[in-house]
Amino acid sequence: MKLKEYKMLFMELIRYIHEGVHVIDSDGKTIIYNERMADLEKLTGKEVINKPFQDVFKDVEDSTLLKSLNTRTVIENKNQAYINKYGKEITTINTTIPIIDDNKVVAALEIAQNITQIKEMTDTILELQKDIHQPSENKNLRIKQYRFHNITGGSKAFKKTLEIAKRASKTDASVFIYGETGTGKELIAQSIHFDGIRKTRPFIAQNCAAIPDSLLEGLLFGTDKGGFTGAVDREGLFEQASGGTLLLDEINSMPYDTQAKLLRVLQEGYVRRIGGTKDIPIDVRIIASSNEPADVIINSGKIRKDLFYRLNIISINIPPLRERKDDIMPLCEKFIEKYNEKLNKDVWILSDKAKEKLLAHDYPGNIRELENIIVGAISLLDDEHVISDSFVNIHSVSEFKKNTIDYKNDVKEMGLMNIVDSIEKDIIYTLYAESGRNITKTADALKIKRQTLQHKLRKYDIR
Ligand SMILES: Nc1ncnc2c1ncn2[C@@H]1O[C@H](COP(=O)(O)OP(=O)(O)OP(=O)(O)O)[C@@H](O)[C@H]1O
Ligand SMILES: [Mg+2]
């Protein structure tokens, strides 16, 4: 490719990417300033391009671009906030790098990623958590509180787990819960709290995998004005959970650096908001959970050993459902009772064949999967009282397995189209059952035409 063509390609790239891009040359003059950047900074390309940086921007002392140019430093993932032309606060993560050729700095490049929506999401989580735990202000948002009497299961393996969990509820020690997806980690964590000594104080659960790394610390520890431009003073989950329990779900997804900070907070007993200077004493019980076993996450480096030992004072393992098949029938009874009431049905029992089918399955999605199978069956019944095996839909590639599909092996075995079909069948089956077999609602939910849905229902023999 000719240089001119490269240039064209480059300019198109800059025009269409979602990040803001700003480049200054060695004299501090702007040579590239794309529209995204202009949007973020409430300026136009015309006002900036070919002008000396100092003439356009006032806060040159704080400028990461000039700093990068003058000191040859890379400034990575720095939080920044702007107010845009509509008065809305925009949050970005910026990375600034010097371009060095032949030991000479020829330019500095800044890339800004707009994370406003993600930031708003974490803010919303904090607000919602607050509402949940100050129920007098907003009663609708109260979450269901699980306690030990809501837990079903008398199998030997599960009884052992429950025994330890009940003892844990009488103490204040940190707990580490391991269980595959859908085994009831949240249920056990809540029961430890709501049947324990801290029950009158908040229970807050945070999934560490659901929040982008750059925002998790702010969410946990709070932020302080000055942490980054535009940051607000806001308490984090540690402060919100004061006196209560904080469940750190999927702790194995917490970034390594954050784990070190968490450990420090736990050891020192106080928290410092991001960008703050004050140490705030905290009194929070920690329950951590993981859907991978402890040895696996330690050996693969997903959890720091020192943090793990601090959390694993009491260790609770929840066995998967396939290792406690005695619990399947009692759980079915419980779910039939629950959904009779919810869906206004009058189901009494499962047919023998249906029971057989349920007992033979190995439940990669554990109790959640079993619950969904029962809901699916019940919602397909009209005024029948017996769930026959034809209504028990055991998914071939269950939705719970999607994340853990061994693609290479499964594709070899089943072929791509069969896997895609079985996932499609799963989704359609679930939504169709949930809608009470309503074609219009299901087609809407799937964003496909009614005719297409009808065709697929016939194809997969979903009734
Ligand atoms: N022993 C039980 N008795 C009754 N219901 C249960 C039991 N165990 C789990 N459930 C139900 O199964 C569902 C999944 O439970 P929960 O959310 O606690 O699982 P989890 O281990 O946290 O799953 P994930 O790893 O996906 O977060 C919930 O609806 C819960 O009510
Ligand atoms: Mg969970």
Side-chain angles (χ1 to χ4, degrees):
M1 218 187 271
K2 290 189 209 119
L3 191 64
K4 188 176 151 231
E5 289 162 352
Y6 261 117
K7 207 175 158 192
M8 275 166 64
L9 183 123
F10 179 75
M11 292 319 283
E12 288 302 297
L13 203 71
I14 297 287
R15 195 150 85 111
Y16 284 103
I17 58 168
H18 285 267
E19 283 75 25
V21 177
H22 189 172
V23 182
I24 56 176
D25 67 10
S26 55
D27 299 328
K29 206 174 68 190
T30 294
I31 47 174
I32 295 171
Y33 193 76
N34 72 351
E35 266 173 55
R36 292 269 170 188
M37 202 62 161
D39 261 1
L40 289 174
E41 298 188 325
K42 280 197 296 189
L43 290 164
T44 61
K46 233 178 162 175
E47 291 170 276
V48 185
I49 295 172
N50 285 328
K51 304 261 165 69
F53 189 87
Q54 283 94 325
D55 293 1
V56 185
F57 297 91
K58 288 175 208 100
D59 299 331
V60 281
E61 281 144 55
D62 288 343
S63 159
T64 41
L65 263 174
L66 289 183
K67 186 172 172 207
S68 183
L69 188 76
N70 296 331
T71 61
R72 300 182 168 214
T73 35
V74 175
I75 303 156
E76 235 172 327
N77 296 329
K78 189 175 154 67
N79 263 312
Q80 202 116 20
Y82 309 87
I83 307 293
N84 76 2
K85 47 189 153 207
Y86 308 107
K88 188 174 176 318
E89 186 180 311
I90 303 288
T91 310
T92 62
I93 299 181
N94 294 9
T95 292
T96 317
I97 39 178
I99 308 292
I100 299 169
D101 181 33
D102 231 358
N103 206 23
K104 258 191 9 224
V105 186
V106 290
L109 158 69
E110 181 151 281
I111 299 166
Q113 187 191 357
N114 189 342
I115 54 156
T116 309
Q117 277 177 337
I118 299 166
K119 166 93 174 357
E120 283 170 355
M121 189 177 81
T122 55
D123 287 351
T124 310
I125 293 172
L126 281 165
E127 289 303 322
L128 284 171
Q129 293 276 19
K130 230 191 209 156
D131 284 343
I132 291 167
H133 301 290
Q134 292 166 358
S136 54
E137 284 169 28
N138 193 342
K139 287 216 163 55
N140 297 332
L141 278 165
R142 280 210 79 122
I143 43 166
K144 176 163 171 49
Q145 299 178 351
Y146 284 108
R147 298 182 43 188
F148 284 116
H149 68 251
N150 302 115
I151 299 182
T152 304
S155 64
K156 216 170 137 199
F158 192 56
K159 261 188 175 157
K160 245 169 77 187
T161 302
L162 274 182
E163 183 53 40
I164 298 172
K166 281 180 184 161
R167 282 170 194 256
S169 73
K170 301 200 172 67
T171 76
D172 220 13
S174 302
V175 177
F176 184 91
I177 304 178
Y178 159 65
E180 288 179 12
T181 177
T183 44
K185 295 184 290 293
E186 168 113 24
L187 200 74
I188 298 250
Q190 284 204 22
S191 303
I192 292 173
H193 174 82
F194 290 112
D195 272 329
I197 35 192
R198 292 173 173 255
K199 60 173 169 245
T200 58
R201 305 294 305 153
F203 171 87
I204 293 184
Q206 180 56 50
N207 185 312
C208 302
I211 300 292
D213 293 358
S214 56
L215 294 173
L216 185 60
E217 283 183 20
L219 186 65
L220 290 175
F221 308 131
T223 51
D224 201 296
K225 272 193 192 121
F228 57 91
T229 341
V232 279
D233 281 330
R234 194 195 298 277
E235 63 180 12
L237 295 180
F238 265 97
E239 284 174 70
Q240 283 192 8
S242 179
T245 306
L246 182 58
L247 167 62
L248 298 172
D249 210 357
E250 298 198 43
I251 187 89
N252 44 318
S253 297
M254 183 182 278
Y256 218 67
D257 289 350
T258 311
Q259 290 186 22
K261 287 187 189 153
L262 172 64
L263 180 62
R264 200 169 333 129
V265 169
L266 297 180
Q267 277 170 343
E268 292 174 1
Y270 61 78
V271 69
R272 185 179 284 191
R273 292 182 186 176
I274 308 297
T277 48
K278 223 170 57 198
D279 291 330
I280 304 159
I282 49 139
D283 165 27
V284 175
R285 186 209 197 147
I286 300 291
I287 301 180
S289 75
S290 163
N291 50 22
E292 291 182 286
D295 54 341
V296 171
I297 59 176
I298 292 172
N299 291 336
S300 62
K302 285 190 192 161
I303 192 164
R304 297 173 61 104
K305 266 198 194 139
D306 46 7
L307 176 65
F308 175 74
Y309 293 126
R310 175 66 185 74
L311 294 173
N312 192 43
I313 309 289
I314 297 176
S315 173
I316 297 180
N317 280 332
I318 313 182
L321 190 52
R322 65 183 167 280
E323 284 171 21
R324 45 176 168 122
K325 293 213 156 173
D326 289 350
D327 290 339
I328 296 178
M329 283 308 133
L331 281 165
C332 287
E333 276 165 34
K334 179 180 178 135
F335 294 141
I336 289 175
E337 194 184 314
K338 178 172 162 188
Y339 290 98
N340 264 339
E341 200 173 304
K342 267 198 168 167
L343 304 172
N344 205 9
K345 303 276 172 153
D346 191 16
V347 178
W348 302 340
I349 44 167
L350 289 149
S351 75
D352 286 346
K353 266 196 169 160
K355 284 185 189 169
E356 241 173 69
K357 207 165 160 182
L358 287 165
L359 287 168
H361 185 47
D362 67 352
Y363 300 95
N366 293 293
I367 326 272
R368 183 182 295 114
E369 181 181 2
L370 176 62
E371 184 166 356
N372 284 348
I373 291 172
I374 300 292
V375 187
I378 294 183
S379 36
L380 292 179
L381 297 182
D382 286 326
D383 44 14
E384 297 104 319
H385 301 303
V386 181
I387 301 180
S388 70
D389 65 306
S390 60
F391 292 115
V392 175
N393 189 315
I394 292 191
H395 308 199
S396 43
V397 177
S398 104
E399 65 175 291
F400 316 100
K401 239 175 132 182
K402 255 181 268 165
N403 294 330
T404 49
I405 280 184
D406 178 353
Y407 283 108
K408 278 202 193 102
N409 263 328
D410 286 352
V411 169
K412 213 187 278 168
E413 225 170 85
M414 300 168 64
L416 176 65
M417 289 334 279
N418 285 329
I419 293 181
V420 173
D421 278 358
S422 72
I423 293 174
E424 183 175 79
K425 179 179 172 189
D426 248 24
I427 295 170
I428 295 177
Y429 177 85
T430 309
L431 291 185
Y432 188 52
E434 275 173 13
S435 73
R437 278 189 285 175
N438 182 319
I439 302 248
T440 312
K441 272 192 202 160
T442 312
D444 277 354
L446 291 165
K447 296 199 169 65
I448 58 175
K449 285 204 198 107
R450 280 173 52 102
Q451 291 93 312
T452 316
L453 175 63
Q454 274 161 336
H455 168 75
K456 287 184 191 292
L457 289 172
R458 271 196 304 275
K459 174 177 165 191
Y460 296 125
D461 195 25
I462 300 175
R463 284 161 293 150

